[in-house]
Amino acid sequence: MFETLKRLFTSAEPTAERALTPEVCTAALMVEAALSDGIYADVEEAEIISVLRTGFDLDEARAAEVLQEAEDQAEAAVDHHRFTRVVKQLPRDQRLTILTDLWRVVLADGERDAHEDALIRRLAPLLGLSDRDRAEARQAASGR
């Protein structure tokens, strides 16, 4: 019994966390955003693939692999901090683009949900971005 408890508290979580890439973390945040309204629509998934392809210069197959890994990571995650810590290391302009892309994903289904707004409101400061950045990113995503 003590061995089971010991394994539980000394899991490989820190090692797995170090292995997370900005691509996977960005995609995981987008999956979380897409799921925040309770529906993970195909159009949102397609938007995430598009963001990964353009934002990280990935081909279709690699973007699909990253998305699959991100979905697995998001499902196992207990909070967003492990993802935002990695993304926050990116340059500010890239984080602003990611914030705009988060809005693109949640708006892809044509509906704006209060849960999606709340999630992005919580994520922006975790990414080192302001309320003004968040509002500008929403406007930029809406204007597309």
Side-chain angles (χ1 to χ4, degrees), residues 95-115:
R95 287 181 282 132
L96 284 169
T97 300
I98 289 169
L99 188 61
T100 302
D101 292 340
L102 279 164
W103 279 112
R104 285 179 47 203
V105 168
V106 300
L107 297 173
D109 61 3
E111 297 178 21
R112 188 162 163 203
D113 183 82
H115 294 95

Side-chain angles (χ1 to χ4, degrees), residues 46 49-50 53 58-66:
I49 293 283
S50 173
R53 291 190 68 194
L58 303 176
D59 62 27
E60 185 80 27
R62 179 65 185 135
E65 289 172 12
V66 168

Side-chain angles (χ1 to χ4, degrees), residues 77-103:
V78 294
D79 64 24
H80 309 294
H81 295 283
R82 64 187 300 213
F83 306 127
T84 56
R85 270 195 306 250
V86 173
V87 176
K88 192 174 181 178
Q89 302 305 313
L90 297 172
R92 185 175 190 284
D93 61 329
Q94 193 170 3
R95 287 181 282 132
L96 284 169
T97 300
I98 289 169
L99 188 61
T100 302
D101 292 340
L102 279 164
W103 279 112

Side-chain angles (χ1 to χ4, degrees), residues 12 20 59 62 73 82 91 108 114 127-128 139:
L20 291 174
D59 62 27
R62 179 65 185 135
Q73 291 287 338
R82 64 187 300 213
L127 296 174
Q139 287 178 339

Side-chain angles (χ1 to χ4, degrees), residues 23-24 27 31 40 45-71:
E23 295 88 349
V24 170
V31 167
Y40 187 32
E45 184 177 328
E47 189 66 36
I48 294 170
I49 293 283
S50 173
V51 165
L52 292 172
R53 291 190 68 194
T54 57
F56 293 100
D57 197 28
L58 303 176
D59 62 27
E60 185 80 27
R62 179 65 185 135
E65 289 172 12
V66 168
L67 178 57
Q68 181 60 53
E69 184 178 348
E71 289 170 346

